[in-house]
Amino acid sequence: MANDKEASGGLEWRVTVPSGSSVKMESESGVISRAWTWFAGAVLMAKSTVFGFGKSVWKMGVDDPRKVIHGFKVGIALSLVSIFYYTRPLYDGVGGNAMWAVMTVVVVFEYTVGGCLYKGFNRAVATLSAGGLAVGIHWIASKTGERVEPVILSASVFLLGAAATFSRFIPTIKARFDYGITIFILTFSLVAVSGYRVDEVLDLAQQRLSTIAIGIFICLLVCILICPVWASEELHLLITRNMEKLAESLESCIKEYFMEDGDVDGTNSCSQKSQGYKCVLNSKASEDSQANLARWELAHGRFGFRHPWSQYLKVGAAMRYCAYCMEALNGCINSEIQAPKSTKKHLREVCMKLSSASSKVLKELSSSIKSMKRSQSIDFSVEEMSNAVEELHDALRSFPNQFTQEADEPAVEATEEKKHSISVTTTLPAIELLPLITVASLLIEISARIEGVVDAVHTLADLAGFDSVEKEKPLSPTHQEQQDMKAIQEV
Amino acid sequence: MANDKEASGGLEWRVTVPSGSSVKMESESGVISRAWTWFAGAVLMAKSTVFGFGKSVWKMGVDDPRKVIHGFKVGIALSLVSIFYYTRPLYDGVGGNAMWAVMTVVVVFEYTVGGCLYKGFNRAVATLSAGGLAVGIHWIASKTGERVEPVILSASVFLLGAAATFSRFIPTIKARFDYGITIFILTFSLVAVSGYRVDEVLDLAQQRLSTIAIGIFICLLVCILICPVWASEELHLLITRNMEKLAESLESCIKEYFMEDGDVDGTNSCSQKSQGYKCVLNSKASEDSQANLARWELAHGRFGFRHPWSQYLKVGAAMRYCAYCMEALNGCINSEIQAPKSTKKHLREVCMKLSSASSKVLKELSSSIKSMKRSQSIDFSVEEMSNAVEELHDALRSFPNQFTQEADEPAVEATEEKKHSISVTTTLPAIELLPLITVASLLIEISARIEGVVDAVHTLADLAGFDSVEKEKPLSPTHQEQQDMKAIQEV
């Protein structure tokens, strides 16, 4: 400290601050070097932040190139509109209102075809209806004289604006027409208000409509023709993928829990897989929005005109119902108190059988939805799952017996005075068995909830008219069998 | 049937359809009467639909009058803008671009102050930056000659449009600047494209800016002055309300489960209360959006400039973590297999004690957040909860003993040859006890997760600087006590 003072020429100030304590001011060179350190640090941090950000953005683009393509699609649509604007004959045709076309492209262009159709339809219908209404009210107002006219117009803007805004709180309207209502208020206000100045209200409305139509047309063209992203496909994929994740995480959760020390292979990949159910927990919002947009996509590809999108949401809800239980199961598995290995062993086989049977049911449902065909073996798999549940029940029923035989020696020690008894379990450490019993119980609950998913998928298959795989014909004897039979007859 | 035919003059057709079956055509009067029935039915249905819809809308308005008020606020803002438009001096001031003010009001006006600020700020900054950039590029392009100019302009629109659209997929940008990016693309395209025709690009940009500023100003004025709805208050309320619901539903779930036949009072209200945790499960989306908007509200009321909104989300996540377990608990409680009443009785006291202790902790946390004061008794309550957990552990440890004593007679019967033993539990019907043990185990798990909520709230209290209630002074004897002591001394 003393040396430092010497080096900087002993410069030092002391300032007495009101509270009475004194603060040492920094020496000049110290300030400069600190500022330099700070600056260098800031530059380095900014550099690493920018690089990190760039890396994550790059990764996002590589992971889902459709997002990059979407960017380019918007660029193409905008360029097409500006070409429209630059080309004089077209420009003269649609008039100075061509900016509405640009605006339409920017606002209507969405990631999915459903989003584009939803916004395009809403914009077109809202503009048309609000324009018509505004012209009508403007015409009525114009008959009432110059004094009353602005009052009528302002009152109509106030009332319609208030009513339309309130209607946005109604859930069904919010889901399907939210954007349309914004455009309705906007168009009505613009036409009603500007009508006071401009005489050619009808002309204005007609021009706006035609430019908006051009904008919507360009949007849909680019959106559908260049690598289209269908919300319906996305929803379909999301549901099947989530179902697979649920199946995998159920299986690997149980596998991890009952894993013996020897089974170290693939522990990490297991842990990652066992977290898959979390995707199901968090996917409600995206399921809802995609189902909403899928409705706008009408018939396309494998999805018919009235494809039951709401049933997909029910399947999603049934899966989430399973996932809640999986969460609790995960909590038990990672609980601090753990059953001793020897007791775990008794339930190992049955629990793993049940988990793989449950997981098999989910996987079959997933592939049934994916292929849009009824699964033939699903009833059999569900039966198998029920049997596994029964076996687990049986194992639990006989559990204390088994355990007592294992714990023979301590039990005998504890009951010194009753030497005759070999199955006294008063010292049963229930507290250590608790997580094991809970895991078993939750597994049973999960399988019951999986039956709910089965029902939801069955309903979906009925509503969407999944193809039923033709039943195999009664087995006719194979050539080999025929030969064998002949040989027997000959003998 | 025959009478019907007579009455309608015996008119009847038969048409043979390809499949070979024959279809009876309806007689004329039958068609009319059916059409009438159908029409009347349709009218009635439409009437009931309209009435039902009207009723639900009315209920929505009565339940939360702020939604109705919001509608009126939008109406007022629109009327203010149109007055602006009608008043000639003002009109001349801002020019024909006044429609931008109307547009701004329609698009920027949001339910919460945060939403309004978010959109207003985004709109202003995006318009300013995009306008500046477009003017710059337009100036550069104008120097290159008439041939290259449209190419440069189109290319810049394409590239900026694509890049900006892609950036919307980045989560942090999406959360804070989604609307701003739309406006950026819009303004840039409009200025760049229209610049080709209109020479007064700078004038256009300046006009647009001033009208947008007027629009935003009117929006904020109406939004903040008339019954403002703050997103921060909403989030604060949502979290505390959800915590209370969680506490209530935990308590009433367990109460219902252990209810004896005599306790029939208030069963219905209990069932309703016990479903409260479902609100917590489904509130992630609204928590996220409100936290996003709350950030825009800067300092206001009791919330400081850098109020830790993200910590609220963590508290919400910790609560949801409890709620997942509650879901599983609810599944066990409604399970088909139920433990016999006699065995339930053994855990009744301890389970109810634990549930009410846990619920008390949650309620205290909730009121601590609500009042933004550190709770003094929270450590004590958590201690109490831990003790209740220990008691439940003990009860479970001694559970087989207790049960065997109860089941004394059958146990003795079953072990005919070992008459000495009174505590043989080989016949313990584990399968019936399963749900009871699982309920106990989940209760313990829930209390562990509640400790996670306690930690999250502690961190919130640190970050937000909750006032700590002053520690009570070492208890000085009360007046009565002093009197008593005097009396004793005198004696």
Side-chain angles (χ1 to χ4, degrees), chain A residues 71 74-75 85-86 88 100 103 158 162 165 196-197 321 324 327 393 401 420 425-426 431 434 438 441 449, chain B residues 71 74-75 85-86 88 100 103 158 162 165 196-197 321 324 327 393 401 423 425-426 431 437-438 441 449:
Chain A
V74 172
Y85 209 96
Y86 285 138
R88 195 164 283 277
W100 290 109
M103 209 175 268
F158 175 82
T165 303
Y196 190 54
R197 300 279 166 216
Y321 201 51
Y324 294 144
E327 233 293 330
H393 270 166
N401 284 343
H420 311 286
T425 53
T426 43
I431 208 69
L434 214 61
T438 311
S441 173
R449 291 184 178 195
Chain B
V74 172
Y85 209 96
Y86 286 137
R88 197 165 281 277
W100 290 109
M103 210 176 267
F158 175 82
T165 304
Y196 190 54
R197 302 275 166 219
Y321 202 51
Y324 293 145
E327 232 293 332
H393 270 167
N401 284 344
S423 61
T425 52
T426 44
I431 208 70
I437 293 177
T438 310
S441 173
R449 293 185 176 194

Side-chain angles (χ1 to χ4, degrees), chain A residues 13 39 106 156 164 171 178 181 192 195-196 216 223 246 255 257 339 364 383 399 403 452 458 476 480:
Chain A
W13 295 270
F39 179 73
V106 173
S156 71
D178 191 55
I181 288 173
Y196 190 54
I216 292 174
C223 192
L246 202 63
K255 211 186 243 169
Y257 183 61
E364 266 178 42
E383 187 67 36
F399 188 66
F403 183 71
H458 270 311
S476 58
Q480 186 57 41

Side-chain angles (χ1 to χ4, degrees), chain B residues 326-386:
Chain B
M326 289 281 306
E327 232 293 332
L329 181 75
N330 212 33
C332 283
I333 284 178
N334 297 320
S335 157
E336 279 170 27
I337 307 166
Q338 285 300 343
K341 287 241 164 75
S342 57
T343 52
K344 260 189 184 179
K345 216 169 60 187
H346 290 297
L347 292 182
R348 187 170 188 260
E349 286 306 312
V350 272
C351 279
M352 285 182 56
K353 192 174 173 193
L354 176 53
S355 82
S356 65
S358 307
S359 150
K360 196 181 159 203
V361 170
L362 283 176
K363 277 178 189 162
E364 266 178 40
L365 290 178
S366 163
S367 70
S368 155
I369 298 180
K370 203 184 261 170
S371 63
M372 296 185 81
K373 282 191 180 119
R374 279 173 206 276
S375 164
Q376 258 202 308
S377 51
I378 188 73
D379 291 335
F380 179 68
S381 298
V382 171
E383 187 66 36
E384 218 172 313
M385 184 172 76
S386 311

